[in-house]
Amino acid sequence: MKVVILAGGYGTRISEESHLKPKPMIEIGEKPILWHIMKEYSFYGFNEFIICCGYKQHVIKEWFADYYLHNSDVTFDFSADNRMTVHNNVAEPWKVTLVDTGLDTMTGGRIKRVQRYIGDESFMMTYGDGVSDINMNELLEFHKAHGKIATITAVSLEQRFGVLDIAEDDSVISFREKRKADSNRINVGYMVLEPEIFDYIEGDETVFEKDPLERLAAERQITAYKYDGFWQCMDTKREMDKLNEMWASGNAPWKVWK
């Protein structure tokens, strides 16, 4: 089963880094967050990826083109016609298709543009800026059991501030620290989609999270995989620093591989 990763946005909310590279290439522990996401899927046996590129796509393409150079010892022998020898090849069992899906294409349009690489089969899809410790096989089994066109992963987003309990007369009953139960669940990606999904996407201007998902919900063709484990996006520098601190501590929850 193929995995589609959306990696074409501008990443304006983390502009300290994204003015130099696309957000999926911003590093956690000296590896792009895109690499971390792919390692998660690969651990569960999903090794064929379609990357929807856009903003600064050349950075992503060049990184994969030079993967050996980034991850192996290399000898350049200038006395022998500049021969390059790669030592201790570090290779992933991946097949990666990098697709230019346009600079300003919306999320739905990006998915539509890679339809020819997916064909008439089910596929997984997620965003290129969030990591999780989801068991991908359990997610897939959940999707198959419900028989819907789309399954999305839904997590409770922890609030950032303290919570006020307010009575009907506007008096404050209590003030307490935030907790996950105070928030509704949100869509965090990690989806499983049937090929019928392409019928819900008109073109480049389609925002996947708007009309397509709203129509699927109205038709009862979308299910939510409620997940209470670890998930964290990298939308801001604060969140980038948080993920790097987790990695440096040796306790990164999303590192399911060995």
Side-chain angles (χ1 to χ4, degrees), residues 113-142:
R113 285 201 183 195
V114 300
Q115 181 176 2
R116 60 179 171 149
Y117 296 103
I118 296 170
D120 189 25
E121 60 184 69
S122 307
F123 64 99
M124 291 187 165
M125 193 278 284
T126 195
Y127 304 105
D129 63 355
V131 288
S132 179
D133 61 356
I134 292 171
N135 185 312
M136 306 300 178
N137 290 326
E138 291 181 1
L139 170 63
L140 180 58
E141 288 304 313
F142 176 89

Side-chain angles (χ1 to χ4, degrees), residues 81-209:
D81 298 323
N82 197 27
R83 184 175 62 198
M84 182 181 77
T85 303
V86 179
H87 308 281
N88 303 318
N89 292 2
V90 178
E92 308 288 351
W94 296 345
K95 179 180 178 181
V96 185
T97 302
L98 302 161
V99 184
D100 178 7
T101 56
L103 190 60
D104 297 309
T105 309
M106 296 294 102
T107 50
R110 295 190 190 282
I111 297 169
K112 187 80 168 181
R113 285 201 183 195
V114 300
Q115 181 176 2
R116 60 179 171 149
Y117 296 103
I118 296 170
D120 189 25
E121 60 184 69
S122 307
F123 64 99
M124 291 187 165
M125 193 278 284
T126 195
Y127 304 105
D129 63 355
V131 288
S132 179
D133 61 356
I134 292 171
N135 185 312
M136 306 300 178
N137 290 326
E138 291 181 1
L139 170 63
L140 180 58
E141 288 304 313
F142 176 89
H143 173 76
K144 290 179 177 179
H146 286 77
K148 305 292 185 180
I149 293 176
T151 295
I152 64 173
T153 296
V155 305
S156 294
L157 185 64
E158 187 174 340
Q159 292 194 20
R160 294 178 57 191
F161 307 105
V163 177
L164 297 174
D165 288 328
I166 303 173
E168 291 184 3
D169 64 355
D170 295 330
S171 60
V172 176
I173 300 173
S174 67
F175 180 87
R176 56 183 170 77
E177 289 299 310
K178 62 198 175 188
R179 58 174 180 255
K180 285 188 176 181
D182 295 316
S183 302
N184 292 326
R185 291 183 182 270
I186 64 168
N187 165 31
V188 299
Y190 291 96
M191 304 181 190
V192 186
L193 304 169
E194 296 300 318
E196 291 87 349
I197 195 67
F198 295 112
D199 296 332
Y200 290 76
I201 303 171
E202 292 187 7
D204 284 358
E205 301 302 316
T206 303
V207 178
F208 186 67
E209 298 77 14

